[in-house]
Amino acid sequence: MQRCAGIILGGILLGGAISLPAAAKTIDYPGRFPAKYPELSDLRTIGLVNFGGQQGDDFALALGNALQEAKLDEHPIFTIKNEDGMTYKSPRAPAPADTAVAVRIGKSSGVAAVIFGVVAEASLSASDYTEQKSVCASSSGFLKCENYETVNIPCKKHTARYTVLPRAVRVSDGQLIYSQSLTAQASFNMCNGQADPGTVNLLGLFSVKKTVKEEPITSPEALLGKVRNDVVNQLYKHIAPQNRTISVTFKDRAPDLPKADQAQFKNGLDFAYVGRMDRACGIFET
């Protein structure tokens, strides 16, 4: 199924490699998609230690909760053991000595891999600006405004930025199997001291199923929590396989293919249209 998903996403069935006529049919295709970095899900038993840097403990807690709740077909993906005891050499980035400490912790706790790292940035900033609004200056009755005037409303834009440098080491040989720099940024506006929940703007956020529940953004502190959770979701997507349903549009003919391949293509479509993607994929792959 994974190979067939690769064919579909590669555009062969969507007309990316073949000029196909306009008639088409769309079906939903459920499939299992491997993690971008599958080593951790293959090892399964993971030690999670405290992260260094500002908000390191908060990030490790949020990540641990997400990984402990991770399931595939109702079966846990990881077995997580939470461990403390990391004293990082630098507040800005993990050092080689930190990897050695993580391996020692992993061996003592009996896990196959250890996730560690540093929260390099967890910042809040604000900038003032004004918005103009037209208000009623005089009224002759209910809903009867005679004159309007423009007033300036004081506003503040709050921005949060979160950067994490996560690492994962395989305990058996001390090899780093995951090393990334993950960043999320978001902002929201407050005018006259009131938050506008519709003004949240995001950078660095993947459109994947959320693994951390989000609260409404009503304060700078909530905004910082949101970008922290966004980074957790990015890391989750990197290391956890997922079941997803995608919509696939099949053309009904492939005139650019050789005659024999056209017949095989049509045979595969017959199975796809009745929901037998297992049979269709086998035909498309040959």
Side-chain angles (χ1 to χ4, degrees):
M1 296 292 281
Q2 292 177 2
R3 288 181 60 200
C4 188
I7 292 173
I8 293 171
L9 294 177
I12 295 177
L13 303 184
L14 300 176
I18 306 170
S19 176
L20 300 177
K25 183 176 181 179
T26 299
I27 67 169
D28 290 333
Y29 170 74
R32 178 172 298 178
F33 294 81
K36 185 175 182 179
Y37 302 96
E39 290 86 355
L40 282 166
S41 58
D42 292 342
L43 293 172
R44 296 184 62 82
T45 305
I46 309 299
L48 177 63
V49 301
N50 56 296
F51 272 55
Q54 183 184 5
Q55 286 222 342
D57 290 344
D58 291 339
F59 180 81
L61 178 62
L63 178 60
N65 290 338
L67 296 181
Q68 286 173 340
E69 295 174 2
K71 291 185 178 181
L72 198 63
D73 299 330
E74 300 304 317
H75 298 292
I77 299 175
F78 304 103
T79 299
I80 301 296
K81 292 187 177 181
N82 292 295
E83 303 284 348
D84 289 323
M86 286 285 286
T87 301
Y88 290 87
K89 298 297 182 182
S90 168
R92 297 295 299 170
D98 298 328
T99 302
V101 174
V103 170
R104 289 199 298 271
I105 292 174
K107 288 181 178 179
S108 65
S109 60
V111 297
V114 174
I115 297 175
F116 63 104
V118 170
V119 177
E121 181 181 7
S123 64
L124 284 168
S125 60
S127 58
D128 296 320
Y129 69 99
T130 58
E131 283 190 357
Q132 290 188 333
K133 182 178 181 180
S134 180
V135 299
C136 185
S138 60
S139 173
S140 60
F142 181 66
L143 297 180
K144 294 181 179 179
C145 187
E146 298 294 336
N147 296 295
Y148 289 90
E149 65 178 8
T150 299
V151 298
N152 292 324
I153 300 176
C155 297
K156 190 180 294 288
K157 179 179 180 179
H158 295 273
T159 300
R161 183 175 174 87
Y162 212 97
T163 298
V164 180
L165 307 176
R167 305 287 186 263
V169 60
R170 188 167 50 226
V171 173
S172 62
D173 58 4
Q175 181 69 37
L176 274 177
I177 56 176
Y178 180 77
S179 177
Q180 293 292 314
S181 176
L182 306 177
T183 296
Q185 179 173 306
S187 62
F188 83 112
N189 301 332
M190 296 185 71
C191 294
N192 274 337
Q194 298 295 316
D196 180 1
T199 61
V200 176
N201 301 305
L202 307 176
L203 290 174
L205 179 62
F206 289 92
S207 57
V208 297
K209 181 182 178 181
K210 299 297 178 213
T211 56
V212 180
K213 294 181 180 178
E214 296 181 356
E215 299 295 331
I217 305 302
T218 59
S219 68
E221 292 74 20
L223 186 67
L224 189 63
K226 174 181 175 50
V227 291
R228 179 189 64 229
N229 292 344
D230 290 347
V231 174
V232 169
N233 284 310
Q234 291 182 38
L235 201 160
Y236 181 94
K237 181 184 178 183
H238 277 178
I239 67 175
Q242 300 175 56
N243 288 332
R244 296 205 309 271
T245 298
I246 61 174
S247 294
V248 182
T249 300
F250 293 94
K251 304 301 184 180
D252 65 347
R253 293 184 299 112
D256 294 343
L257 292 176
K259 291 294 184 181
D261 291 341
Q262 289 185 39
Q264 183 169 323
F265 182 82
K266 178 63 168 59
N267 190 24
L269 289 183
D270 291 340
F271 284 108
Y273 289 165
V274 296
R276 289 298 308 272
M277 286 300 299
D278 56 333
R279 297 292 301 275
C281 284
I283 293 171
F284 291 140
E285 289 173 357
T286 58

